[in-house]
Amino acid sequence: MFAYLIRRMLIMIPTLAVISLITFVIIKLPPGDYLSNQLVELQSQGESAAMEKIQFLRDLHGLDDPLLQQYAVWVGLWPDPGGSFNGLLQGELGYSFEYGRPASEIVGDRLLLSFLVAFCTIVFTWLVSFPIGVYSATHQYSWGDHSLTFIGFLGLATPNFLFALVLLYLANVVFGTSVGGLMDPEYIDKPWTLDKIGSVFEHIWIPVIVIGTSGTAGLIRRLRANLLDELQKQYVVTGRAKGLPPFRLLTKYPLRMALNPFISDIGNLLPQVVSGAAIVSVVLSLPTTGPMLLQALRSQDQYLAGSFLMFLAFLTVVGMFLSDVALSALDPRIRLGGRSLR
């Protein structure tokens, strides 16, 4: 087990290195960048002073250097011409041209709120989908199964942004909660206090329900299908014939085997901390990282967008590692060495 963990961690290093190169090349593929677009706009307005400042920034950050040299500076393998950026290997996210500040100063509170929304969404998804999926599988073709299946299909078919608009209306009319955002307007850009935390939890249930609905419906269907498949296998029939209590028979092996999709989804859930539900975040005016990533890609703010994408890649690689280890502990049929037992 220890050798497997070390081997997987060592594989993560070249994986992230290749991803960083592909990410940087893709970001640089569109013609121009944020500063060149600003330069064209200022040239049309005849503002020469601002044009000199933009050219100074281009020279400072080496945006006219060869592509490989720019990549080496971004990663931290080559010294920054301006001496203001140490690279990703030193833990720096780069400089945002649009905001005029280091990216680490911009994403601070947004990253915290994104983690909070994602964590609450994951808990909501698991708490709702787990009991419903088990009930649907153990009461196949009952009225309860048909009703929950219908609700699940509604959750899969309803667009998240439409559901968000409906909940925004209900929250404002029924509960009197201010529409949009994750807190009352008076707490924005203010230090964290108990009142501000309370305001966040007063607003957070709307995005949690909206974002978690589609994921909940999908997990219910997958858990039901997996559990039904396990309940029809020979070892379950044998256990039932030997007189094992139904609850013990369910939880001993079939339920453990059916939980695989919950564990394997860890690799997909962690990247959603940054990029998940960006459209819902725009509709609900959430101060999370999704809209900022979308805006950085649209404005070609290359260092901010590249840092976000690299963070997504890191979360994906770590999530897959955690899910593989957890699956090996949960399912005795999985062998870390990749060899079948005879």
Side-chain angles (χ1 to χ4, degrees), residues 36-322:
S36 64
N37 295 336
Q38 291 292 107
L39 186 61
V40 172
E41 182 178 350
L42 291 174
Q43 283 177 342
S44 64
Q45 299 174 0
E47 298 183 14
S48 58
M51 291 168 53
E52 293 176 359
K53 178 182 178 181
I54 288 180
Q55 188 59 46
F56 170 76
L57 289 175
R58 294 189 66 86
D59 297 337
L60 179 65
H61 295 281
L63 297 183
D64 296 322
D65 294 337
L67 181 62
L68 288 180
Q69 183 175 340
Q70 292 186 49
Y71 168 74
V73 171
W74 180 56
V75 175
L77 302 176
W78 190 275
D80 181 21
S84 58
F85 180 51
N86 295 323
L88 294 177
L89 295 178
Q90 301 293 328
E92 294 188 12
L93 300 179
Y95 184 82
S96 172
F97 300 111
E98 183 174 5
Y99 294 91
R101 292 186 295 164
S104 57
E105 297 180 3
I106 303 171
V107 303
D109 285 345
R110 287 179 176 264
L111 195 59
L112 175 62
L113 292 174
S114 297
F115 270 110
L116 183 60
V117 172
F119 176 77
C120 293
T121 302
I122 293 171
V123 173
F124 169 79
T125 301
W126 286 358
L127 288 179
V128 173
S129 59
F130 181 78
I132 293 178
V134 173
Y135 176 84
S136 296
T138 54
H139 298 75
Q140 188 181 15
Y141 302 136
S142 64
W143 281 105
D145 181 26
H146 287 303
S147 301
L148 293 172
T149 299
F150 176 72
I151 295 174
F153 285 150
L154 283 181
L156 288 173
T158 304
N160 283 346
F161 67 89
L162 179 61
F163 191 32
L165 293 175
V166 173
L167 278 185
L168 281 178
Y169 174 79
L170 294 177
N172 189 35
V173 173
V174 178
F175 299 101
T177 304
S178 59
V179 178
L182 278 177
M183 63 189 72
D184 292 325
E186 61 264 23
Y187 297 112
I188 298 177
D189 297 329
K190 297 295 180 64
W192 285 94
T193 61
L194 291 179
D195 292 337
K196 183 175 181 178
I197 295 175
S199 179
V200 169
F201 280 100
E202 181 184 356
H203 291 73
I204 200 173
W205 65 272
I206 299 177
V208 166
I209 293 178
V210 171
I211 299 172
T213 301
S214 58
T216 298
L219 273 182
I220 289 174
R221 302 305 301 166
R222 292 163 60 190
L223 178 60
R224 179 183 181 275
N226 284 4
L227 189 54
L228 283 175
D229 182 63
E230 291 294 330
L231 290 175
Q232 296 174 4
K233 291 187 176 179
Q234 188 62 42
Y235 72 91
V236 178
V237 177
T238 303
R240 189 179 295 114
K242 289 183 177 181
L244 286 176
F247 181 77
R248 182 181 178 186
L249 178 63
L250 176 67
T251 57
K252 183 65 175 178
Y253 289 114
L255 188 57
R256 286 180 58 190
M257 304 302 102
L259 286 179
N260 284 1
F262 283 79
I263 305 302
S264 61
D265 270 353
I266 294 177
N268 298 324
L269 290 173
L270 287 181
Q272 292 179 4
V273 171
V274 177
S275 67
I279 297 178
V280 175
S281 299
V282 172
V283 172
L284 296 177
S285 301
L286 302 181
T288 54
T289 52
M292 180 174 286
L293 172 59
L294 181 62
Q295 177 60 28
L297 292 172
R298 293 177 57 186
S299 64
Q300 294 184 283
D301 195 354
Q302 62 180 36
Y303 290 126
L304 182 60
S307 300
F308 271 128
L309 294 176
M310 276 306 301
F311 192 56
L312 280 174
F314 175 76
L315 289 178
T316 303
V317 172
V318 172
M320 293 300 177
F321 170 75
L322 294 177

Side-chain angles (χ1 to χ4, degrees), residues 14-27:
T15 301
L16 290 174
V18 173
I19 292 175
S20 67
L21 179 59
I22 296 175
T23 298
F24 191 80
V25 171
I26 291 177
I27 291 175

